Amino acid sequence: MSSPDPQVRAARNLADPSPENKPENKSESEPENKAESKFESDSENEPRNRPADPAEDKTRSKPVRSRSRSRGPVVAVTGAATGVGELLTARLAASEEIKQVIAVDERRGEVSEAMWHVLDVRDPAIAEKLRGADVVVHLALDLDLETDPAARTAYNVRGTQTVLTAAAAVGVHRVVLCTSAMVYGALPDNDVPLAEDAELRATAEATGVGDLLEIERLGRRAPRAHPGLQVTVVRPTVLVGGTDTALTRYFESPRLLVVAGSRPTWQFCHVDDLVTALEYAALEKIDGEFAVGCDGWLEQAEVEELSGVRRMELPSAVALGAAARLHRIGLTPSPAGDLAYTMHPWVVSVSRLHDAGWRPSWTNEEVLAALLEEVEGRHTVAGRRLGRKDATAAGAAGATVALLGTAALVRRARKARRRF
């Protein structure tokens, strides 16, 4: 999944890429039998790292490396310039099982072997860029904690709608969507582990989960609306490796918040394993809906022992109430719904991938160690990232108390105003 660059995201939110508002695309892709010569001739006269000129054809690319790959699928990847999309694009481009990789993003990435198209996935012009692809892996999602929720939903949902419709229109036979195991919901009565075909009981209260549920709904509906189009859905567990989510920020806290009476369980997924699972899906070694993550899970006590970070236990009413107030007054980016995923189990079986021959290369213990190394030096309290000066001044428990106290003061002030 790709989190767009801040500048790209800011520009995206200023204007809608609908046909009446988007800049005129001054050149279209050549017909299929001329595409290869077009890309080669353009690239010979263009420096590799030359900044993009808006007036130039956005589809220019480095020539595709000459390889004798007459067989194998042509795979398109959206969100291909950053994050998981970049890693998958590089892996597919190096694979002898893939005929060609088409890369789509709002800026050109570093994988020179791919054929690049630079545009917003909400632009209907994406249909022509996907022409000739057998499979599309859609990873252009914005799950950034700091993004305006309305803008995030508009991008994620409309982007998925556009990709599904465009893929069907140009004869793509499979689209792979990547959501999250969070769609199962974190509930005290969940089975441990959940079956992959378990009911999706999540609500829209956690960051981005409403978007993911809508994407799942679009994925289920697409084959009915577009006969011949098949949809595969991949659901990673707690994703680690260059990611920034409410769940990874949990481990940036000086104390691990535990809600009294809860039973947290942790199942991680390293981005390396997600990439290989997505490759399986792109090669159609597995289809349908399936989860990806490490085998098994860790109990909260094991996490605390492995991390060496002690817990801070709070009553449920205090923790949930404070989280809701802090988010409402803008002190933290995480809504109270995120807290459920640190309270209740939502670990899931990965048996479908196992049956297909896939195995994770990381264990939960190894991913936790990598996460702790990645977040070292960061300071987060109640989902709010603090600067070094703030963290030093506040101290571990002091920072939490300060935030909880701020919420309480705001609540008392509001009550006082209502009395007058």
Side-chain angles (χ1 to χ4, degrees):
M1 285 171 276
S2 168
S3 290
D5 295 339
Q7 291 181 343
V8 171
R9 188 167 60 244
R12 171 199 301 152
N13 294 338
L14 290 175
D16 189 287
S18 54
E20 62 270 23
N21 292 330
K22 69 183 181 73
E24 182 181 359
N25 188 0
K26 299 209 172 181
S27 66
E28 297 295 332
S29 298
E30 298 289 333
E32 286 184 302
N33 62 341
K34 297 183 180 180
E36 185 173 344
S37 61
K38 174 185 183 297
F39 281 103
E40 290 177 353
S41 61
D42 284 345
S43 301
E44 288 173 358
N45 300 315
E46 181 182 83
R48 178 173 179 179
N49 295 320
R50 175 183 171 188
D53 184 343
E56 293 181 352
D57 182 0
K58 292 294 184 86
T59 65
R60 289 184 178 177
S61 169
K62 293 289 289 181
V64 178
R65 188 174 63 195
S66 177
R67 294 170 293 194
S68 56
R69 299 185 184 179
S70 59
R71 304 176 67 179
V74 175
V75 180
V77 180
T78 68
T82 59
V84 175
E86 181 179 27
L87 296 174
L88 179 64
T89 300
R91 184 175 180 89
L92 296 179
S95 172
E96 293 298 325
E97 296 183 82
I98 301 296
K99 183 176 181 180
Q100 187 178 52
V101 181
I102 299 171
V104 178
D105 210 323
E106 294 172 61
R107 66 171 178 82
R108 192 183 186 284
E110 299 299 321
V111 183
S112 59
E113 296 86 355
M115 179 183 293
W116 284 91
H117 297 300
V118 180
L119 79 166
D120 189 310
V121 292
R122 296 171 295 177
D123 189 336
I126 196 173
E128 284 306 310
K129 313 307 180 188
L130 299 180
R131 188 177 295 280
D134 300 297
V135 178
V136 174
V137 184
H138 178 47
L139 299 174
L141 297 179
D142 182 359
L143 298 176
D144 194 306
L145 287 170
E146 310 297 339
T147 303
D148 173 72
R152 180 173 59 220
T153 296
Y155 177 76
N156 290 337
V157 174
R158 185 175 173 192
T160 302
Q161 287 175 322
T162 304
V163 167
L164 287 167
T165 301
V170 297
V172 173
H173 73 262
R174 183 176 301 279
V175 174
V176 180
L177 303 176
C178 187
T179 61
S180 168
M182 293 176 77
V183 297
Y184 291 106
L187 300 162
D189 62 344
N190 274 346
D191 291 335
V192 180
L194 289 161
E196 290 168 285
D197 60 356
E199 180 184 358
L200 306 186
R201 299 200 291 162
T203 66
E205 296 173 358
T207 304
V209 173
D211 296 358
L212 299 178
L213 288 169
E214 180 61 17
I215 289 169
E216 294 251 357
R217 187 186 70 81
L218 291 170
R220 288 192 299 272
R221 191 176 65 181
R224 298 194 298 271
H226 307 289
L229 180 66
Q230 302 174 64
V231 176
T232 299
V233 179
V234 185
R235 299 169 181 153
T237 55
V238 181
L239 194 59
V240 174
T243 57
D244 179 23
T245 67
L247 294 170
T248 60
R249 287 192 182 189
Y250 177 83
F251 292 92
E252 298 177 14
S253 300
R255 296 287 185 270
L256 299 179
L257 175 63
V258 176
V259 175
S262 66
R263 185 207 167 177
T265 53
W266 294 91
Q267 181 184 23
F268 299 101
C269 177
H270 196 276
V271 291
D272 292 348
D273 285 335
L274 175 57
V275 166
T276 58
L278 289 168
E279 181 184 29
Y280 259 60
L283 290 169
E284 301 184 270
K285 296 179 180 180
I286 185 171
D287 58 12
E289 302 167 354
F290 62 91
V292 55
C294 300
D295 292 332
W297 61 89
L298 298 174
E299 300 286 351
Q300 182 70 21
E302 294 176 290
V303 167
E304 293 168 16
E305 181 180 356
L306 290 167
S307 66
V309 182
R310 290 181 291 175
R311 69 168 60 193
M312 172 181 286
E313 192 163 311
L314 292 175
S316 176
V318 172
L320 292 170
R325 290 193 295 275
L326 291 170
H327 181 66
R328 189 166 57 247
I329 63 179
L331 284 181
T332 67
S334 299
D338 287 347
L339 201 55
Y341 290 88
T342 68
M343 293 172 58
H344 306 303
W346 53 290
V347 300
V348 62
S349 166
V350 292
S351 60
R352 293 208 60 228
L353 269 171
H354 275 252
D355 292 344
W358 177 93
R359 295 292 183 272
S361 59
W362 292 74
T363 66
N364 282 302
E365 291 83 356
E366 290 169 340
V367 180
L368 176 59
L371 173 57
L372 293 171
E373 182 177 351
E374 188 174 305
V375 304
E376 186 176 2
R378 299 178 191 167
H379 307 281
T380 294
V381 175
R384 179 191 180 193
R385 186 166 285 159
L386 305 176
R388 185 179 301 275
K389 183 178 179 181
D390 294 332
T392 302
T400 301
V401 171
L403 287 176
L404 294 176
T406 299
L409 288 172
V410 169
R411 189 180 185 186
R412 285 202 294 271
R414 287 175 176 168
K415 286 183 177 179
R417 285 197 298 269
R418 285 197 291 267
R419 287 200 291 267
F420 291 98

